[in-house]
Amino acid sequence: MRLIMLGPPGAGKGTQAVHVSATHGIPAISTGDIFRANIKDETELGLQVKQITSSGGYVPDEITNAIVRDRLAQDDAAQGFLLDGYPRTTGQVEALDEMLGDAGHQLDAVVELTVDTDEVVQRLLARAQEQGRADDTEEVVRERMRLYAEETAPLASRYKERGLLRRVDGMGEVAEVTARIEAALEDVTRSAPSDVPADGR
């Protein structure tokens, strides 16, 4: 399966990605992990990212797209993957479509974890306190949630139009959410892989 997992900060995407990865035998690919690995290995792309982030800037789409393209070309992603943290902009959606189309593949589903904002804000504040991150104030956390909603709404709408979006309640115990995700993906797991270009042509 080729999947995307959407969800605001604190929704538990990383935790659920690990479960989906193990269940379906596909790599869980986090753009944050990719950035950190490239920086650690001091690759050309990693050095670019380090320079940008160390000055407080945002990594532009073209660099993010290049890193994801490189990761998806690796052998373990040949038969499927789960993307966490990408795409985040409509430009990245188009770039991913192109990557998959070039390889003769298409997305199977996009899982969006929905959460109660107030509860997640409190969860993130508690986590920040545990980790000693004093900068993560309630105002900052709520702004991150707002920005996520603003950026992600167009993506979710686009994937809904394609019939790919699966909205899943992300509140509750980890096992409960995992079960909901698997139920939402039942139609995908039942169908045979159909590797046609992302644009349907």
Side-chain angles (χ1 to χ4, degrees):
M1 289 197 295
R2 294 177 178 87
L3 307 172
I4 291 171
M5 187 168 289
L6 301 176
K13 296 189 303 300
T15 300
Q16 294 302 330
V18 170
H19 287 284
V20 174
S21 170
T23 300
H24 299 283
I26 55 176
I29 299 172
S30 159
T31 48
D33 289 345
I34 293 172
F35 288 147
R36 285 185 286 274
N38 274 270
I39 290 170
K40 181 181 177 183
D41 295 341
E42 297 187 332
T43 65
E44 184 179 345
L45 286 169
L47 292 173
Q48 285 180 281
V49 170
K50 185 176 181 179
Q51 185 177 9
I52 293 165
T53 56
S54 63
S55 62
Y58 290 100
V59 180
D61 281 3
E62 57 264 28
I63 292 180
T64 306
N65 294 338
I67 288 179
V68 172
R69 181 182 287 274
D70 176 72
R71 180 64 182 86
L72 293 185
Q74 294 177 23
D75 290 344
D76 67 334
Q79 300 303 315
F81 54 77
L82 184 153
L83 284 171
D84 168 13
Y86 181 94
R88 284 191 172 174
T89 67
T90 53
Q92 289 178 5
V93 169
E94 291 162 6
L96 179 60
D97 286 348
E98 184 179 328
M99 293 176 211
L100 294 175
D102 288 347
H105 300 320
Q106 67 173 356
L107 283 173
D108 291 302
V110 176
V111 175
E112 182 183 15
L113 295 180
T114 61
V115 296
D116 177 85
T117 299
D118 289 337
E119 187 167 333
V120 169
V121 166
Q122 294 309 312
R123 183 189 301 174
L124 288 173
L125 289 174
R127 183 191 302 175
Q129 188 172 11
E130 289 169 7
Q131 298 175 354
R133 292 159 58 177
D135 291 342
D136 279 359
T137 62
E138 181 167 350
E139 184 181 1
V140 168
V141 169
R142 287 192 181 278
E143 177 64 8
R144 286 168 58 201
M145 300 285 282
R146 187 193 67 77
L147 286 173
Y148 172 83
E150 189 176 277
E151 289 178 352
T152 308
L155 277 61
S157 296
R158 182 170 294 199
Y159 286 127
K160 185 177 181 181
E161 288 169 4
R162 296 187 194 176
L164 293 173
L165 190 67
R166 311 283 194 276
R167 283 200 169 96
V168 174
D169 181 0
M171 303 305 294
E173 297 295 324
V174 170
E176 294 173 344
V177 178
T178 301
R180 291 178 203 137
I181 291 172
E182 290 307 318
L185 293 175
E186 275 185 5
D187 61 323
V188 179
T189 55
R190 280 199 305 265
S191 61
S194 54
D195 286 337
V196 298
D199 60 7
R201 293 179 292 185

